[in-house]
Amino acid sequence: MRRVRRRHITPPGLKSTRRASSAQFSRAVSVLSTMAPVSDPSSFSSLSKCATKHLNLTCRVDFDRRVLKGKVALTVEVLEDKFSSLTLDSKNLKILKVCANGQAAKFAVGAQHRFKGSPLEITLAFELSRGQHVIVEIDYETSPSATALQWLTPAQTAGKAHPYLFSQCQATHCRTMVPCQDTPSIKHTYYAQVSVPKELVALMSAVRDGQEADPDDNTRIVYRFRQPVPMPSYLIAIVVGALESREIGPRTRVWSEKEFVDRAAFEFSETETMLKTAENLAGPYVWGQYDILVLPPSFPYGGMENPCLTFVTPTVLAGDRSLAGVIAHEISHSWTGNLVTNKTWEHFWLNEGHTVYLERMIARCMESEQLRQFKGIGGWKELQESVNQFGANSGLTNLVPNLDEVDTDEAFSSVPYEKGFALLYHLEELMGGPEVFMGFVKSYIQLFAYGSVTTEEWKNYLFAYFKDKVDILNKVDWNGWMHTPGMPPVKPQYDTTMADACSTLCQRWVKAKEGDLASFTEADMKKLNSHQLIEFVALLLQEEPLPLAHVKRMQEVYRLNDVKNAEVRFRWLRVCVRARWEEAVTLALKMATDQGRMKFTRPLFKEVYNFPKYSEEAVKAFKEHRGALHPVTAMLVAKDLKIDGN
């Protein structure tokens, strides 16, 4: 288990006019020395016996066979005496050879678990003592079905000329790409050397460190990477494609296929301003480069915070910069998630709740407090939707769920994001407002930087930082927030200024009789900005389905079918399908299959599937396009559509 660096850091919450006493400081950091032994229900690896400190990957990307073939060398610190064996996580890997400190080591691949993969048991030819290090080298090959890797044919790319590979390791998919201790409780540096066809470019979640002709094959190039900041395995990322880049700031480039690169450079031109705003709030940016990669449409998430190289969906290229929140969110992860990391996936809210909080503080600084409040209202609705989807009694709606024998992909929802944010906002109100509470968040980041944290450790530090307000903190219903399913015990009271215009227009439509439809005009839309337009359509989805005549009139006056903003379009098409507008079914299935972002694809397929006349059409469209979707997206949509044998 990694010890947190704490040199020269005095938590500002402990400062008064005089320097904090050593007793006060000890109390603040006592949590760090009383960490319980780690166990991670999502990992097989031996966490109490050893910890990976460095990973060196050498691999060849084989597009014909859809595999990575190579070698990984793990530098492992021994945490117990008489150490002679260790277990790593692996899933569908072909293990060819294992050595330890240059000597052959015995290995066995254990039984395959339903979703965790197989333990890779390694027995050394010698014994080591606590504090010593061993370099474990593994020659291996991935499977064409590795869930971390999506291999695209030229036809699935924007350019249509070259194949494309990208990875998505969060939460537990790195083990399908590299045998490792696949748990966020272990953080390590990494180097990599990647051989690819010379017409393609390779990038990783690391600093680019040069390239050279492949000495073994003159049709290929080897790209080198180094990541000097310790990070968990789920943040290892690779992309290979016909990529171009544009510089958009002193430490930022955008990368994508040439078809998207100039649009992306325009869309993300405020990135440096966001980075500086985040640094003012949370402390120095430690990762050096902050590049953005716009992926092909099948990327399953809005964004992924891979260090040095944020991955984003092309659905954010809306043309109106209204979706800057996606970049603000991923930038925020540079501190909350990447620098301070949840120790296991049960504590995922520590990553996501704090990141949403920081993202909305960036919006507050760059735009207004009203916008932050407005986003809080929207987030509460997203939380309600997730709770409804899982069921109010589901343990997966706990802020800290039990993940024993639970696939992390199936547990994914807005709960850790929005229930986590709601708790932090509630504490902000109790503790004295945004400036005061942001002081705690910054101090928490400084204290736990480079480490991994549990909810209990976070909470102990909260009590230490706000030592003068412990009586208030003791009145918080911690069990209700953390370990009780359903909506939180307290609903935050947000400023509704921006939201009122949306709900007023929504209610006009809901209450309108057929004779009132002529009263709606395109001027209604002129009063709403793009954030409010998204919210207006989202509110319609919370009501009973509108009559078909209403929806047709809405299209006539607002022309929502022409809106390019994916957040608006996705909600609008759901409104149309619910109203049983048959013409919208084709548009909904087109959007569900033109891109593979789970946030859009899953609900659109479900909406059409729930229109009885078109259920079979939804299944047919999914089966036709299944191969173009990310494996995780395909698995979850198959469940949504009740397709057997998924």
Side-chain angles (χ1 to χ4, degrees):
M1 194 176 354
R2 183 168 187 84
R3 283 202 306 276
V4 176
R5 293 183 191 176
R6 39 183 142 134
R7 290 192 305 272
H8 314 305
I9 298 175
T10 302
L14 297 179
K15 291 178 184 170
S16 60
T17 51
R18 56 189 174 77
R19 190 173 172 79
S21 72
S22 59
Q24 287 173 316
F25 185 78
S26 298
R27 183 182 175 210
V29 298
S30 62
V31 53
L32 298 174
S33 56
T34 56
M35 295 180 183
V38 178
S39 69
D40 184 340
S42 305
S43 171
F44 285 123
S45 63
S46 6
L47 307 182
S48 59
K49 292 172 70 170
C50 61
T52 304
K53 294 299 176 185
H54 181 73
L55 181 154
N56 193 349
L57 175 66
T58 305
C59 72
R60 186 181 195 277
V61 178
D62 185 337
F63 278 100
D64 293 332
R65 295 177 55 233
R66 297 192 161 201
V67 299
L68 303 183
K69 183 169 185 177
K71 174 188 281 192
V72 65
L74 304 172
T75 303
V76 176
E77 181 182 347
V78 175
L79 302 177
E80 64 176 18
D81 288 327
K82 297 187 177 176
F83 173 88
S84 61
S85 67
L86 69 154
T87 305
L88 299 176
D89 288 301
S90 76
K91 188 174 182 183
N92 300 328
L93 296 176
K94 186 191 289 182
I95 307 298
L96 305 170
K97 185 172 125 187
V98 180
C99 291
N101 287 353
Q103 297 182 45
K106 292 180 183 173
F107 67 91
V109 178
Q112 176 99 351
H113 180 273
R114 182 172 66 88
F115 55 83
K116 283 201 283 192
S118 309
L120 172 57
E121 312 277 0
I122 298 171
T123 306
L124 312 185
F126 46 83
E127 272 191 0
L128 293 170
S129 301
R130 182 186 177 111
Q132 292 187 293
H133 289 73
V134 58
I135 296 179
V136 179
E137 291 179 289
I138 304 161
D139 291 64
Y140 74 98
E141 188 174 281
T142 63
S143 159
S145 62
T147 50
L149 302 172
Q150 188 166 13
W151 303 85
L152 304 182
T153 63
Q156 291 172 299
T157 67
K160 312 295 182 196
H162 298 287
Y164 196 109
L165 164 68
F166 70 85
S167 67
Q168 172 59 33
C169 287
Q170 195 179 38
T172 57
H173 299 285
C174 189
R175 64 195 67 177
T176 71
M177 188 169 89
V178 188
C180 60
Q181 290 184 290
D182 195 9
T183 168
S185 65
I186 300 284
K187 299 176 98 165
H188 52 74
T189 53
Y190 84 86
Y191 294 163
Q193 302 80 38
V194 183
S195 169
V196 304
K198 65 182 180 185
E199 61 274 15
L200 303 180
V201 173
L203 298 172
M204 291 191 76
S205 53
V207 178
R208 297 187 303 284
D209 199 25
Q211 64 196 66
E212 62 207 7
D214 187 330
D216 300 322
D217 185 339
N218 63 9
T219 69
R220 302 175 72 86
I221 294 178
V222 173
Y223 286 89
R224 293 192 307 271
F225 304 93
R226 58 186 169 82
Q227 180 50 270
V229 182
M231 49 165 255
S233 55
Y234 75 86
L235 292 176
I236 298 174
I238 184 170
V239 60
V240 182
L243 300 171
E244 290 190 8
S245 71
R246 301 283 185 272
E247 189 176 288
I248 58 169
R251 46 188 163 172
T252 304
R253 301 187 81 84
V254 290
W255 295 84
S256 78
E257 293 178 83
K258 67 181 181 196
E259 289 76 10
F260 290 137
V261 74
D262 290 319
R263 258 176 80 196
F266 167 77
E267 202 75 32
F268 304 135
S269 59
E270 291 187 345
T271 301
E272 179 63 22
T273 307
M274 274 189 202
L275 265 173
K276 284 181 174 165
T277 305
E279 286 184 303
N280 289 337
L281 290 165
Y285 177 76
V286 304
W287 304 91
Q289 192 72 5
Y290 183 83
D291 285 3
I292 298 169
L293 171 76
V294 180
L295 282 111
S298 55
F299 182 59
Y301 302 105
M304 180 62 208
E305 64 273 15
N306 301 309
C308 306
L309 187 69
T310 281
F311 283 17
V312 294
T313 166
T315 64
V316 301
L317 300 177
D320 61 5
R321 300 197 188 182
S322 69
L323 301 175
V326 171
I327 297 299
H329 183 88
E330 305 312 332
I331 280 176
S332 299
H333 267 305
S334 304
W335 289 267
T336 47
N338 298 5
L339 190 57
V340 181
T341 307
N342 46 230
K343 193 160 282 183
T344 69
W345 296 109
E346 290 123 321
H347 305 284
F348 189 40
W349 83 271
L350 290 171
N351 278 19
E352 297 300 350
H354 287 84
T355 297
V356 172
Y357 184 83
L358 189 49
E359 165 206 338
R360 289 178 183 161
M361 286 297 285
I362 292 172
R364 178 179 190 260
C365 295
M366 290 182 66
E367 296 199 42
S368 68
E369 172 64 12
Q370 274 192 355
L371 179 60
R372 184 174 85 112
Q373 298 279 323
F374 179 70
K375 284 176 174 282
I377 293 169
W380 185 266
K381 291 197 185 72
E382 279 188 40
L383 175 59
Q384 184 71 69
E385 214 167 282
S386 285
V387 168
N388 292 345
Q389 190 182 331
F390 280 121
N393 295 318
S394 166
L396 293 181
T397 64
N398 286 12
L399 194 56
V400 185
N402 179 346
L403 293 184
D404 278 328
E405 290 305 312
V406 175
D407 185 342
T408 50
D409 288 329
E410 293 178 25
F412 185 82
S413 75
S414 68
V415 170
Y417 296 74
E418 297 299 347
K419 203 172 196 176
F421 172 80
L423 170 59
L424 296 175
Y425 183 82
H426 176 56
L427 292 171
E428 172 195 297
E429 291 194 303
L430 293 177
M431 295 296 101
E435 284 82 4
V436 173
F437 196 72
M438 193 63 223
F440 160 73
V441 173
K442 184 174 186 176
S443 177
Y444 157 75
I445 291 165
Q446 287 179 320
L447 189 64
F448 290 95
Y450 308 99
S452 301
V453 192
T454 64
T455 299
E456 190 175 354
E457 289 161 8
W458 168 86
K459 186 180 160 195
N460 286 348
Y461 184 57
L462 176 79
F463 273 70
Y465 183 93
F466 290 113
K467 64 184 190 308
D468 300 332
K469 297 176 180 175
V470 167
D471 53 332
I472 301 172
L473 290 172
N474 278 331
K475 289 176 186 162
V476 172
D477 180 2
W478 293 105
N479 189 56
W481 278 100
M482 303 289 185
H483 305 293
T484 306
M487 294 300 284
V490 176
K491 181 178 182 179
Q493 295 305 303
Y494 294 114
D495 177 340
T496 62
T497 308
M498 282 181 71
D500 289 342
C502 313
S503 47
T504 300
L505 184 58
C506 170
Q507 287 308 308
R508 268 185 68 202
W509 278 99
V510 168
K511 291 172 179 164
K513 303 283 186 284
E514 196 129 348
D516 303 325
L517 294 182
S519 70
F520 294 99
T521 68
E522 63 180 305
D524 304 335
M525 284 290 103
K526 299 279 191 287
K527 299 169 190 165
L528 305 183
N529 63 30
S530 51
H531 299 291
Q532 290 172 303
L533 177 55
I534 293 167
E535 175 64 7
F536 161 65
V537 190
L539 287 170
L540 292 173
L541 285 170
Q542 293 195 315
E543 302 288 343
E544 290 297 309
L546 287 172
L548 181 54
H550 285 49
V551 173
K552 286 185 172 179
R553 174 62 181 165
M554 202 178 289
Q555 166 56 20
E556 193 183 321
V557 289
Y558 300 161
R559 305 190 64 78
L560 291 172
N561 281 346
D562 300 337
V563 173
K564 297 285 187 287
N565 185 311
E567 296 280 354
V568 175
R569 186 170 181 75
F570 142 73
R571 291 171 173 84
W572 164 241
L573 290 172
R574 291 176 67 196
V575 168
C576 294
V577 173
R578 283 191 190 179
R580 301 298 186 243
W581 191 0
E582 296 190 33
E583 287 172 36
V585 168
T586 307
L587 295 175
L589 289 176
K590 183 174 182 343
M591 184 172 184
T593 53
D594 277 356
Q595 54 74 51
R597 186 176 174 186
M598 269 197 275
K599 176 182 178 179
F600 301 151
T601 291
R602 289 184 70 188
L604 286 166
F605 268 121
K606 276 197 276 196
E607 213 69 72
V608 175
Y609 183 77
N610 291 336
F611 188 166
K613 186 174 176 180
Y614 289 94
S615 295
E616 285 181 24
E617 193 76 20
V619 172
K620 180 168 171 269
F622 168 65
K623 286 181 173 175
E624 282 173 7
H625 291 87
R626 183 176 197 157
L629 295 172
H630 188 274
V632 174
T633 312
M635 178 266 290
L636 293 169
V637 174
K639 281 183 188 292
D640 295 337
L641 304 187
K642 300 174 175 58
I643 294 172
D644 293 330
N646 56 60

